[in-house]
């Protein structure tokens, strides 16, 4: 049988394989609410402009609401022969209200229709991502506040570098996720223009009011070029790019949680609610959620690359290639939201092990830089010489199997005779972090000031 929507010039219906490769209803049914919302706005505009009658517009409106409730109640029979969500909804509308349904598609094409629906969907996802990020930031802020002055080792090359505070480490992620929020907001502001009314590619000869539909759908304005409106998917790519960077941040935090929860580190204890066990090793408590979050970057970045590849080289205007935009974005969005929620739960539930953090902070000669700085300040040594003297003291401590504060004053003076008892003040990890008072530094005062600023910003 011929296609009800476009079968007029066809002598036969499509081959089953043709139907299989062509159909998108299997995934784009997720756009049903946006499709119906867009159609309602379009019908209202057509009536306001006198392009269709108020009676027809009312019938369309009622019919679309019935379709919506049927879909939401799970009573809607989706058809592959009808290709996509747009034709499925319209065909059902025709069954429900008859002839007026055929007037809905006046001055519209599936090309501007799908571009509009998808923008609405991506816009919702951006809002959801921002909410998820803010919730995660709040969980991190709570952790930071509880341990604003707890010391832990700061690492470079994953080797002990200098002591930092737990609060400072948590706040580093608050900053990163804050920039992720900014990227999503930027993308939202740029994408918030309405393609509806671009029709197939050239606009329409009907006297439509694109400002009305744009406003109705919460867009700032209609898109200014009809070819561009139906051709580009940069809004989806910007979403995927922002999602990729965000997932990269999530992945780094996840990696830290995996390391920190190991028996060798024991910096944090993850809650039972966000851990799994082993079927053979009874002692195991595995950070599976963190591992999966760590892996999600792969598919999210993969979606970004895949859609770039779909779009590159496409001549204007619409090509069916663009139907491949949706599954990538759906998958990336689903997994980003899941990863954000899981990370928020893990961070909220986890317990930082203060004693272990502090013990680790003191190990590995972590205050060697403080010692060198002291030699500069107290004895007036040039930093390079102070670095050398400290290096010899570290070597001495290492040879004795002790830490820097365990060396006696005589030992110290054998390396540099000017060293006095005062040096021991800077060898403690708490003094070390408290001295890092430069703006953005790890001193608890600094950390508390940043926490207060972020709390206010997230009000
Ligand atoms: N299902 C299609 C898509 O996702 C809708 C647009 C179809 N337009 C067309 N000219 N065949 O892109």
């Amino acid at each position: 049988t011929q296609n009800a929507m476009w079968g007029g010039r066809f002598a036969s219906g499509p081959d089953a394989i043709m139907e299989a490769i062509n159909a998108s209803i299997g995934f784009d049914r997720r756009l049903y609410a946006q499709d119906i919302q867009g159609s309602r706005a379009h019908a209202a505009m057509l009536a306001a402009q006198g392009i269709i009658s108020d009676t027809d517009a009312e019938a369309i409106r009622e019919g679309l609401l019935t379709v919506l409730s049927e879909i939401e109640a799970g009573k809607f029979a989706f058809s592959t022969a009808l290709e996509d969500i747009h034709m499925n909804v319209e065909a059902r509308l025709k069954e429900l209200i008859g002839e007026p349904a055929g007037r809905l598609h006046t001055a519209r094409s599936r090309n501007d229709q799908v571009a509009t629906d998808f923008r609405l969907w991506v816009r919702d996802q951006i809002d959801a991502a921002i909410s998820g990020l803010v919730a995660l930031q709040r969980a991190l802020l709570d952790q930071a506040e509880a341990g604003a002055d707890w010391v832990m080792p700061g690492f470079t090359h994953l080797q002990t570098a200098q002591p930092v505070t737990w609060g400072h480490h948590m706040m580093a992620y608050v900053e990163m996720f804050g920039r992720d929020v900014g990227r999503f907001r930027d993308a939202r502001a740029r994408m918030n223009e309405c393609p509806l009314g671009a029709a197939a590619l050239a606009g329409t000869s009907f006297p439509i009011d694109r400002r009305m539909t744009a406003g109705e759908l919460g867009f700032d304005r209609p898109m200014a070029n009809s070819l561009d409106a139906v051709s580009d998917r940069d809004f989806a790519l910007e979403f995927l790019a922002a999602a990729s960077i965000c997932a990269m941040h999530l992945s780094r935090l996840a990696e830290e949680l995996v390391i920190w929860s190991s028996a060798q580190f024991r910096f944090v204890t993850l809650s039972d609610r966000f851990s799994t066990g082993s079927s053979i090793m009874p002692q195991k408590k595995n950070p599976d959620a963190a591992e999966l979050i760590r892996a999600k970057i792969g598919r999210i970045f993969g979606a970004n690359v895949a859609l770039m590849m779909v779009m590159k080289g496409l001549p204007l205007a619409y090509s069916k290639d663009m139907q491949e935009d949706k599954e990538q974005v759906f998958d990336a969005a689903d997994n980003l939201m899941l990863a954000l929620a899981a990370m928020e739960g893990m961070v909220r539930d986890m317990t930082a092990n203060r004693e272990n953090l502090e013990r680790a902070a003191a190990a590995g000669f972590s205050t060697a830089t403080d010692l060198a700085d002291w030699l500069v300040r107290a004895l007036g040594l040039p930093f390079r010489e102070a670095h050398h003297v400290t290096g010899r003291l570290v070597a001495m401590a290492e040879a004795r199997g002790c830490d820097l504060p365990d060396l006696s004053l005589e030992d110290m003076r054998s390396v540099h005779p000017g060293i006095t008892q005062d040096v021991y003040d800077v060898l403690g990890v708490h003094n070390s972090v408290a001295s890092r008072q430069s703006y953005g530094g790890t001193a608890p005062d600094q950390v508390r000031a940043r926490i207060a600023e972020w709390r206010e910003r997230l009000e």
Side-chain angles (χ1 to χ4, degrees):
T1 58
Q2 285 169 20
N3 188 291
M5 298 287 165
W6 42 255
R9 56 109 68 225
F10 283 70
S12 85
D15 189 270
I17 297 294
M18 179 61 216
E19 207 168 276
I21 194 171
N22 198 35
S24 55
I25 188 62
F27 47 88
D28 69 14
R29 63 177 67 182
R30 283 185 75 165
L31 299 177
Y32 72 89
Q34 289 76 15
D35 192 67
I36 289 169
Q37 193 189 357
S39 287
R40 286 181 56 191
H42 185 66
M45 181 277 292
L46 291 177
Q49 294 297 101
I51 300 168
I52 64 173
S53 71
D54 287 342
T55 332
D56 285 348
E58 185 50 29
I60 291 170
R61 201 186 82 85
E62 291 291 322
L64 286 171
L65 287 175
T66 306
V67 175
L68 181 66
S69 61
E70 286 178 354
I71 295 176
E72 275 171 352
K75 288 193 296 212
F76 191 94
F78 291 102
S79 148
T80 309
L82 290 167
E83 285 189 36
D84 55 25
I85 186 63
H86 324 294
M87 305 231 279
N88 269 269
V89 169
E90 194 184 315
R92 178 68 186 132
L93 185 66
K94 179 111 194 283
E95 283 173 13
L96 289 168
I97 68 169
E99 196 244 53
R103 301 189 188 278
L104 170 61
H105 213 51
T106 315
R108 188 179 73 169
S109 152
R110 269 189 298 158
N111 296 348
D112 60 334
Q113 187 178 0
V114 72
T116 305
D117 295 359
F118 200 32
R119 266 181 200 254
L120 290 169
W121 194 88
V122 170
R123 196 175 68 185
D124 283 350
Q125 296 302 307
I126 288 178
D127 292 342
I130 291 172
S131 311
L133 277 163
V134 170
L136 173 55
Q137 283 182 301
R138 291 214 165 96
L140 288 160
L141 279 165
D142 289 347
Q143 285 286 350
E145 197 149 54
D149 56 0
W150 300 358
V151 288
M152 66 180 285
F155 299 92
T156 60
H157 314 265
L158 198 57
Q159 306 288 323
T160 300
Q162 296 176 3
V164 294
T165 48
W166 169 257
H168 199 48
H169 203 118
M170 294 295 105
M171 290 306 289
Y173 283 104
V174 169
E175 296 286 341
M176 292 181 234
F177 293 127
R179 286 193 297 279
D180 290 335
V181 167
R183 267 180 284 276
F184 281 118
R185 288 211 174 111
D186 291 349
R188 193 191 198 286
R190 209 165 7 258
M191 73 164 290
N192 204 31
E193 296 184 337
C194 188
L196 195 61
L201 74 165
T204 174
S205 57
F206 290 98
I208 60 172
D209 181 353
R210 292 193 58 206
R211 277 189 188 79
M212 177 179 169
T213 40
E216 190 68 34
L217 297 172
F219 289 108
D220 297 328
R221 64 193 78 86
M223 291 181 78
N225 182 297
S226 62
L227 285 170
D228 172 45
V230 292
S231 293
D232 208 359
R233 293 294 182 267
D234 61 349
F235 65 94
L237 285 164
E238 279 201 60
F239 169 72
L240 292 175
S244 296
I245 296 174
C246 175
M248 176 276 292
H249 287 149
L250 287 169
S251 181
R252 294 184 74 175
L253 177 52
E255 167 70 0
E256 298 210 295
L257 295 184
V258 170
I259 295 174
W260 291 352
S261 61
S262 68
Q264 287 69 27
F265 271 75
R266 291 199 184 288
F267 284 6
V268 299
T269 306
L270 299 177
S271 74
D272 288 357
R273 301 191 325 142
F274 282 94
S275 306
T276 55
S278 157
S279 54
I280 175 168
M281 297 166 283
Q283 88 284 9
K284 292 280 283 210
K285 195 166 149 190
N286 292 327
D288 290 33
E291 295 167 79
L292 288 161
I293 291 169
R294 188 172 60 184
K296 295 287 186 200
I297 175 70
R299 60 201 295 164
I300 294 171
F301 192 66
N304 191 15
V305 173
L307 185 54
M308 284 294 279
M309 298 310 289
V310 166
M311 295 307 295
K312 73 172 277 297
L314 286 188
L316 305 190
Y318 178 85
S319 297
K320 195 67 171 245
D321 308 50
M322 289 159 70
Q323 180 165 282
E324 288 285 314
D325 57 0
K326 284 175 269 313
E327 280 170 294
Q328 300 294 344
V329 176
F330 290 162
D331 184 75
D334 289 346
N335 283 288
L336 179 69
M337 302 315 153
L338 195 53
L340 283 169
M343 185 58 90
E344 190 221 327
M346 260 192 308
V347 169
R348 200 164 274 299
D349 273 22
M350 75 185 176
T351 313
N353 304 322
R354 186 177 183 174
E355 289 75 33
N356 292 344
L357 289 169
E358 180 155 346
R359 204 173 308 123
F365 315 111
S366 65
T367 54
T369 312
D370 299 86
L371 173 51
D373 287 350
W374 183 86
L375 293 168
V376 170
R377 262 197 323 272
L379 307 185
L381 299 191
F383 183 76
R384 286 294 163 216
E385 192 184 335
H387 187 287
H388 187 76
V389 168
T390 307
R392 289 185 54 202
L393 288 168
V394 168
M396 180 185 275
E398 193 162 44
R400 304 217 174 137
C402 69
D403 276 321
L404 284 173
D406 305 323
L407 293 174
S408 70
L409 193 55
E410 278 77 75
D411 289 338
M412 298 243 196
R413 288 197 206 208
S414 72
V415 175
H416 195 289
I419 297 177
T420 65
Q421 184 67 32
D422 292 351
V423 75
Y424 289 97
D425 290 345
V426 302
L427 295 181
V429 289
H430 287 281
N431 287 335
S432 171
V433 295
S435 72
R436 301 296 200 266
Q437 285 287 357
S438 51
Y439 175 79
T442 196
D445 295 345
Q446 283 293 318
V447 172
R448 290 197 181 97
R450 299 293 89 72
I451 293 172
E453 286 162 9
W454 268 106
R455 289 251 188 247
E456 208 176 293
R457 223 183 295 179
L458 296 186
E459 272 303 307

